[in-house]
Amino acid sequence: MTIIERFKIVGQYILPKHLLSRLTGRFAAARAGWFTQVAIRAFIRNFSVDMSEAASPDPKSYKTFNDFFTRPLKEGARPLLAEGNQLAHPVDGTVSQAGPIHAGTIVQAKNHDYSVAALLGGDQALAAEFDGGEFATIYLAPRDYHRIHMPCDGVLREMIYIPGDLFSVNPLTAQHVPNLFARNERVVAVFDTEQGPFTIVLVGATIVASIETVWAGTVTPPRGPGIHRWSYPKEGVNAVTLKRGEEMGRFKLGSTIVMTFPKDTVKWENDLVPGQTTRMGTVLGQWDS
């Protein structure tokens, strides 16, 4: 690790990350006129955002930075290519890690593992459902499309809010901060399918101003120091059923998702390796049963 990289990591521990993130969130939600426009244009330029894919490519059409950051894409920009028993990539991003869950642990980076139970808020019974299964961690860079979609059809069983830190989740931090995804603030969505359960974990990060789901709206901030759980019925007017490719949530500023699946249920595509670019709607893998 270089001196500059070491300085960046040490700074992660020193910075008042929650305060910084909440202040950023206030600005991102504000209608700040010309200042918002300057910030949007600077962001587009610095991160090479492809606005030609946006439903509204004109930066002037966005009244807040959040509107711009969570911009929808134009019709047909992300066709749903997964079909039959295939799973679809839920996000645009870059694969951080993917593979089997060994002895209840997930690979974060070289020499860094963390437990599924810790990721899921200490719920040992829930974590046991994924023993010997598969996981995939995908990092959403600032330039990426920040809406999260369903990899397959599912019925929402439970949503869990887990308080935590707000370290950056970029590749450098993932390599050097132990238990990163199990220590940051996060929202766990547990779905049931005909093939078994799966989870999508939306991990917060520095200056991630908000995590939202389509059924609950803004989950955080604020939420507080304790774990919160919401259970949902399988049927009836309050059931939440989502189809493959449908939007399930979004980040206001970038972060990471972690998916877990049970043993002997999914087989990833061969190109699901660290560093691989992902595009929402393309084939992630297939059901193995």
Side-chain angles (χ1 to χ4, degrees), residues 126-236:
L126 179 59
E129 297 186 49
F130 305 100
D131 283 349
E134 298 285 332
F135 80 95
T137 304
I138 302 176
Y139 167 65
L140 287 73
R143 67 179 178 275
D144 288 324
Y145 168 65
H146 276 80
R147 298 190 181 200
I148 303 140
H149 295 251
M150 292 289 288
C152 58
D153 297 356
V155 179
L156 183 66
R157 180 202 304 179
E158 188 175 24
M159 181 174 74
I160 310 168
Y161 164 78
I162 305 165
D165 217 319
L166 287 174
F167 282 92
S168 170
V169 291
N170 62 36
L172 176 65
T173 312
Q175 292 170 13
H176 297 288
V177 176
N179 302 313
L180 175 63
F181 304 124
R183 70 193 296 171
N184 270 14
E185 181 180 61
R186 56 205 180 277
V187 174
V188 178
V190 185
F191 289 93
D192 287 309
T193 76
E194 292 182 358
Q195 291 80 12
F198 75 94
T199 69
I200 301 182
V201 183
L202 284 59
V203 183
T206 308
I207 72 171
V208 173
S210 178
I211 297 175
E212 299 181 0
T213 64
V214 297
W215 59 85
T218 299
V219 182
T220 180
R223 189 52 62 185
I227 293 177
H228 295 258
R229 309 177 77 108
W230 297 263
S231 296
Y232 297 84
K234 294 182 178 180
E235 299 176 333

